[in-house]
Every structure is written in structure tokens, then in C-alpha cells.
Amino acid sequence: MIRVALAKGRLASSCADLFIRCGIRADILKEETRKLVLETSDGAFKFFFVKPSDVPTYVEYGIADIGVVGKDTLLEAGADLYELLDLGFERCKLCVAGFAGVRPDPARPLRVATKYVHTARRLYASRGEDAEIIKLNGSIELAPLTGLSDVIFDIVQSGGTLRANGLSVLEEVFDISARLIANKVSLKTKAAQILPLLAKMRGELAAKDEV
Amino acid sequence: MDRFRLPAGVRDILPDECARFDAVQARLRERFVAAGFRFVRPAGLEYFDTFAGADSPVAPSAMFKMTDRDGNLIVLRPDMTLACARIAASKLGAESAKLCYFSDVYDFSAAGNSDREIAQAGVEVFGEAGAEADAAVIGFAVDCLEAAGLSAFIVDIGHVGFYKGILEESGLSPAAAEEVRACINAKDAVGTELALRKNGASQRAQRALLALPSLFGDAQVLSEAEKLTDSPAALASLLHLKQVYALLSKAGKEKRVSFDLGTVKSLAYYSGAVFTGLAEGVGAPVLSGGRYDGLCARFGKDLPAAGFAIGMQRVLRALERDKEVRQ
């Protein structure tokens, strides 16, 4: 049996489509349920529903053999695991955004509000820039509007929220999309189950690219 | 501060668990002694300088550091292999030695899947080189995991020479090579591609490095890998692994091993074959080892060497999972 960690919501339903095309009886993922553990009718797969940022944790500890999660979450978690496949959906960008044309006071460190504290710290450290990273849990766009920060570091999909609040993208830093990840041990000890699945997924994704 | 609390990352092992721990240790002790290994108990405190330096396999941030009374920086032993290499090179005066130990090492930086105090059982063979020596060490690793009581496990074998060989031909700078290595080690094909493109590696090296994350499985991958490179060093390491595999097959252990050329362990430490023991139900390796010729030279005597360490807590966890599955 392969155990799969998934984030509930849109990502899970995109995954369900891909899984079904790969011959997994993942139709159960599309049912409305409050259960946190679902098993396919043939007993070949078990799905765990967890918070997106917990997907790498479940996989790193080997509780789940594989998982699907956004690259942004992976960057932030820094977990020790294998990143096997770019699934291509849930595309967005991790960006620095703020008021265009406004130069922050150079006499003090740049203030950056973000959910992605570790990633932001690494980014500014790699550039040798001092930055004050301010951890927020939601509505990041509010920070520059209220003067809490100079800029924000966050994922941007359509840019609608930014525009509605008079902000714009200052810099695109990382391309983000959903990734298939695997536990380092499970990939080897369950290679007979995981590798054929990986090959099928790769085939499905390539076929989709050609269309 | 409560007097009955412990710092993060360490814990007491209570009688029930300790009994299980000792039972596994007793079985391993029997194996070690029967195979001709002799026990050592290396010192728990060492000088920071023993483990420091630009090419040190242990990161300074991973060590518990204290100042000695004379002002020297000392550390809680961070690594058993270095301690054994120091002993073999500087104290034994022989051209060969087979040492083993049951000891704890300390990792200041540990997080996630690991503890800061790690109980290890390990062996180190000094003075023997070549495919036969490697096959003997890897075969013994299989024996030890069996003796410990594990049923569902494999020993996954790689070779740092394959990666090094390709790297030499790629024209990448050391910093770029390290960035690429980290991506390959995470089997991050997307990241590997981006890093290669950014740093401008040669075309053929790019193709070989991009294939690395998927070069794992049975002995067949060794033949696949041969098509990817002309580097004499890389080809020599593949030939070496084939010889090791033939020897392991002759010993009836081929079902217990697999290969992964994309396991690119620290180059500052290992010089040849590397291997990892993987048990079902435990998300992290239960055993880790490899060949580290050149490490002894740091301590004044150039001896070829290879060895491995078993993580006792992870073995116990695997045994528990085995029992749960059977019930």
C-alpha cells in the first residue's frame, strides 16, 4: 500500500484527476467528506488530508510515502526528502511586491512582511542585504498599506489582490507549481509500487504538454 | 527552570526500552566479535580543531562547543568515524585494524527526523582497499541488520567517484558544483536543470547530471550509467560497483542490495563506494557508511578505510514497526 499526503481543497481535486488518469481509483477524493483518511476500494492507496505546510512533515517522517505540495511550501519547509516531479498545476510565482516607484528609507533595513519567513531570510542573506523579516499568517497585502512593512514577499497568482490595493510586483523570485515528493526510504523500499506510478505520471504530464 | 526537565533533542531511555536496546546490542556485539572486530571507547570530548577546517566533513554549526580551562575550544564528539580514524592513524601503529564501537555522537544542529544524542553501533576497517574489501564491508552491513532482527530492508549502494568524474568534465566552479550536488541529492530534477543552466556546464555533463536523480534501482542502472559519460574516473567507479555487486551476488546477498548513483553524499568525507541501510516503516536510514580513504591522512598516516554506523534508535523503531505489521 502506498500512503499519500495531500492538502485538502483545490490541490486535492487537481491531484485526483491526475491520479485517475494514471489508473488509481482516486474517485473517492472527489467525494464530499469530513474524513481525514481515505482508502481506495482496492486497498492499494491510502490518502491523508493534512494542512499544506504539514505535507512535507508527513513525508519526511515516512508516515506518508509520497505527497503532493506546492514548491513554495517545500522551499519554506526545507525538509529532507526527494522531489520527484513537477506536476505543472497550481502555477504561481513567489514575488516581492510593494508600491512601484517608492524607495524605502536606505538608512534602515528593508522591512519585509511574509508567510515564508525562512525563504525570505535565505533570499536576502544570499544577496547580502539586511532585511527585517516580519512573520504574518494572512492578508499579507495589508502590511505595506498600513506601514507595517515596505514590501511583501508572497505568492502571486493573478495579481488581482495586489492591483486592488495599489500594489505591484517589484520582482519575480521563484516559479512555483505543485510537486510530487517522496520519502527517501519509501522510494527504495516500495520502489516496485512507486516507480511504475512515477513513470505513468510522467507520461500523462508529457501527453498533456503536447496538447 | 524545572529541575526535572531535559533539554530539547535528548531523552532518558527507561528500563523496558533499555532491555530491547541491550538485546539488539548484544546480538550485534556477537557479530562484531565473530567477524574479528575489536572494541574501542573513544573519548567523548575532543578538540574543535580535530574536526574543523575548510574541508572538514563536520560543519562547525553541528558541534556542541565549550571552552576548556586553558582557553582551547573543545567539542562533544560529533562523529565516530573521525574519532576511529584518529585512533587508527595516530595510536595503533599498525598497517591494518578492524575497530568497532557502541557510542553516542552529538549533533547540535539536529532537527526534524533526528535527535541531538545519537546512539550508534559501528565498525571501521583500516588498511584494506579494493572491490573485495568494499563487498566485505557491505556484506557485513547486511549481516548486521539481519542479526539486529530486521526483516524488510535493503542496502542501497552508490559511488562518489561517478559524480566527481562527471563534475571534473563539466567545467563547473566548486560553488556551482555544491549547488548542483544539493539538488541531485534531493532528486530535484527541476532544480538541477536550473542550476546547470545558470552555471553553464558542458552539454554532455549536463545530460549526465540531469540523469543522476533517476539513476537508481537494481544493478541494471550501472550499465545505463555507462552510456552517459566518457570520464575515465566515472567509468572506473561503475566498473568497481559491478565488481562489488558480483562479489555480493556470489555471497548470496544480491537480493539485499540496490543501487543509487544519485546519492551524492558529502565529498569532503567519502572517497569511493557509499551505502545506506533502508528499512521499511522508518522514514530515515538505519545504517550509513562508505569508503573514506584519505581521512586517516588528516591524522598523519595514510590508510585506506571503510566502515558504517547503525543508528540504534532507528533500528528499534523498525523492529517495533515489524512487530506491529505482523500482529
Side-chain angles (χ1 to χ4, degrees):
Chain A
M1 174 186 288
I2 302 183
R3 296 155 303 176
V4 189
L6 286 178
K8 209 153 193 173
R10 217 171 24 178
L11 194 60
S13 96
S14 307
C15 290
D17 291 333
L18 177 63
F19 287 155
I20 290 168
R21 277 187 279 134
C22 294
I24 302 172
R25 299 187 185 173
D27 30 306
I28 43 165
L29 293 179
K30 302 201 145 188
E31 287 161 21
E32 198 63 39
T33 173
R34 300 182 77 150
K35 278 194 186 159
L36 296 173
V37 180
L38 290 176
E39 204 174 315
T40 55
S41 50
D42 57 359
F45 288 84
K46 198 182 246 180
F47 297 97
F48 305 140
F49 290 111
V50 302
K51 203 172 171 232
S53 53
D54 292 337
V55 171
T57 309
Y58 275 84
V59 174
E60 183 180 16
Y61 277 77
I63 303 302
D65 301 308
I66 60 174
V68 176
V69 66
K71 178 70 179 174
D72 53 330
T73 310
L74 279 181
L75 283 169
E76 181 65 11
D80 189 19
L81 38 77
Y82 286 147
E83 193 177 321
L84 296 175
L85 216 51
D86 183 346
L87 298 177
F89 45 78
E90 297 286 304
R91 277 194 193 283
C92 57
K93 287 184 160 45
L94 254 179
C95 298
V96 178
F99 296 109
V102 177
R103 274 182 60 120
D105 179 3
R108 59 166 177 77
L110 187 72
R111 287 201 193 114
V112 185
T114 184
K115 274 187 285 196
Y116 304 96
V117 175
H118 295 122
T119 316
R121 244 181 229 137
R122 276 205 307 272
L123 174 72
Y124 285 99
S126 74
R127 296 173 174 181
E129 280 176 50
D130 289 340
E132 186 182 337
I133 311 292
I134 302 166
K135 161 88 181 169
L136 289 180
N137 295 299
S139 302
I140 316 292
E141 293 84 355
L142 188 59
L145 299 181
T146 53
L148 177 63
S149 74
D150 301 311
V151 296
I152 63 170
F153 178 62
D154 201 13
I155 51 170
V156 177
Q157 224 148 13
S158 65
T161 314
L162 289 182
R163 275 192 302 276
N165 290 290
L167 301 168
S168 47
V169 171
L170 303 177
E171 187 191 352
E172 294 176 353
V173 186
F174 295 107
D175 286 315
I176 304 296
S177 56
R179 304 291 163 97
L180 181 74
I181 57 173
N183 176 267
K184 287 191 156 183
V185 174
S186 297
L187 183 66
K188 308 290 173 56
T189 54
K190 295 190 177 178
Q193 292 132 285
I194 296 177
L195 293 185
L197 172 66
L198 191 62
K200 264 188 222 161
M201 285 182 138
R202 222 177 246 136
E204 280 296 329
L205 292 170
K208 213 179 166 197
D209 276 352
E210 276 163 26
V211 172
Chain B
M1 173 79 67
D2 297 333
R3 286 185 186 197
F4 47 79
R5 279 187 9 193
L6 283 174
V10 296
R11 63 193 187 86
D12 300 317
I13 299 179
L14 304 181
D16 283 347
E17 188 186 352
C18 206
R20 289 197 295 273
F21 188 105
D22 288 343
V24 173
Q25 200 158 287
R27 294 199 291 271
L28 288 173
R29 179 185 294 273
E30 210 174 292
R31 277 292 159 131
F32 288 1
V33 172
F37 287 95
R38 301 188 65 204
F39 274 91
V40 287
R41 291 171 58 84
L45 296 175
E46 298 226 33
Y47 282 117
F48 174 78
D49 288 348
T50 306
F51 301 92
D55 60 339
S56 172
V58 186
S61 59
M63 291 189 256
F64 279 88
K65 297 179 271 295
M66 296 149 277
T67 314
D68 208 354
R69 269 180 297 201
D70 57 7
N72 277 311
L73 204 53
I74 53 178
V75 294
L76 269 181
R77 180 183 51 225
D79 184 275
M80 281 307 293
T81 297
L82 272 165
C84 287
R86 178 178 57 73
I87 289 171
S90 68
K91 297 207 164 140
L92 296 183
E95 293 310 309
S96 67
K98 291 177 85 174
L99 302 181
C100 64
Y101 57 82
F102 292 142
S103 287
D104 295 345
V105 293
Y106 294 87
D107 182 354
F108 188 71
S109 63
N113 238 347
S114 45
D115 301 321
R116 298 212 285 180
E117 183 178 50
I118 306 148
Q120 292 186 333
V123 302
E124 315 286 352
V125 181
F126 298 96
E128 289 175 27
E132 262 173 54
D134 283 355
V137 172
I138 295 169
F140 189 59
V142 172
D143 290 344
C144 287
L145 290 181
E146 262 166 13
L150 294 182
S151 51
F153 73 86
I154 51 164
V155 174
D156 200 36
I157 309 170
H159 197 299
V160 297
F162 182 72
Y163 173 71
K164 262 189 197 164
I166 293 176
L167 210 58
E168 274 162 20
E169 294 199 324
S170 68
L172 288 173
S173 70
E178 179 53 31
E179 190 184 342
V180 172
R181 188 190 72 84
C183 291
I184 291 174
N185 218 16
K187 297 213 184 296
D188 178 0
V190 183
T192 309
E193 193 169 353
L194 287 177
L196 286 172
R197 219 184 299 151
K198 186 176 83 188
N199 294 301
S202 77
Q203 281 298 320
R204 189 158 166 79
Q206 278 206 27
R207 251 203 310 279
L209 288 170
L210 276 175
L212 268 179
S214 53
L215 280 179
F216 66 92
D218 54 24
Q220 186 64 33
V221 298
L222 302 178
S223 306
E224 277 171 41
E226 273 174 356
K227 298 173 203 147
L228 290 169
T229 180
D230 307 312
S231 152
L235 289 172
S237 60
L238 292 176
L239 182 67
H240 181 87
L241 288 184
K242 281 187 166 178
Q243 289 167 339
V244 169
Y245 182 69
L247 289 163
L248 285 167
S249 302
K250 217 159 95 187
K253 296 196 165 81
E254 72 278 7
K255 291 246 162 15
R256 283 295 191 195
V257 298
S258 62
F259 290 89
D260 186 352
L261 295 168
T263 300
V264 189
K265 290 196 196 183
S266 158
L267 296 181
Y269 205 116
Y270 294 106
S271 62
V274 291
F275 51 94
T276 311
L278 308 170
E280 218 160 283
V282 189
V286 291
L287 177 150
S288 174
R291 174 153 293 282
Y292 50 93
D293 299 344
L295 207 56
C296 287
R298 290 171 66 99
F299 303 108
K301 186 168 184 172
D302 200 359
L303 292 171
F308 61 79
I310 296 171
M312 293 297 289
Q313 287 301 345
R314 288 178 181 170
V315 166
L316 286 180
R317 206 158 9 136
L319 288 173
E320 261 167 57
R321 293 293 282 260
D322 271 7
K323 212 163 67 190
E324 280 166 23
V325 170
R326 261 181 266 130
Q327 274 166 0

